[in-house]
Amino acid sequence: MYKYNYYLFSPNAAAKIDAYADKSVEIKVYESARTKQLDSYKEVLENEVLVMNKIGQ
């Protein structure tokens, strides 16, 4: 929500929103979600490679 709202306002209004945003919490949330997503992506890719190897045999 923060990023979306940032682009809806003038630079002055965006600066005021920046002053109230808790970026460190947002960063932690994004990093946590990114880690989970990368783990899931790795699993999908590993399974895909296994299937491709079975097809090629």
Side-chain angles (χ1 to χ4, degrees), residues 20-37:
Y20 292 106
D22 187 356
K23 293 177 193 158
S24 63
V25 173
E26 287 187 21
I27 289 170
K28 288 178 185 176
V29 170
Y30 285 129
E31 286 175 344
S32 174
R34 180 181 182 269
T35 300
K36 291 175 187 173
Q37 186 63 35

Side-chain angles (χ1 to χ4, degrees), residues 4-22:
Y4 174 76
N5 287 336
Y6 184 85
Y7 294 103
L8 291 178
F9 300 103
S10 68
N12 185 33
K16 289 180 182 179
I17 292 170
D18 255 355
Y20 292 106
D22 187 356

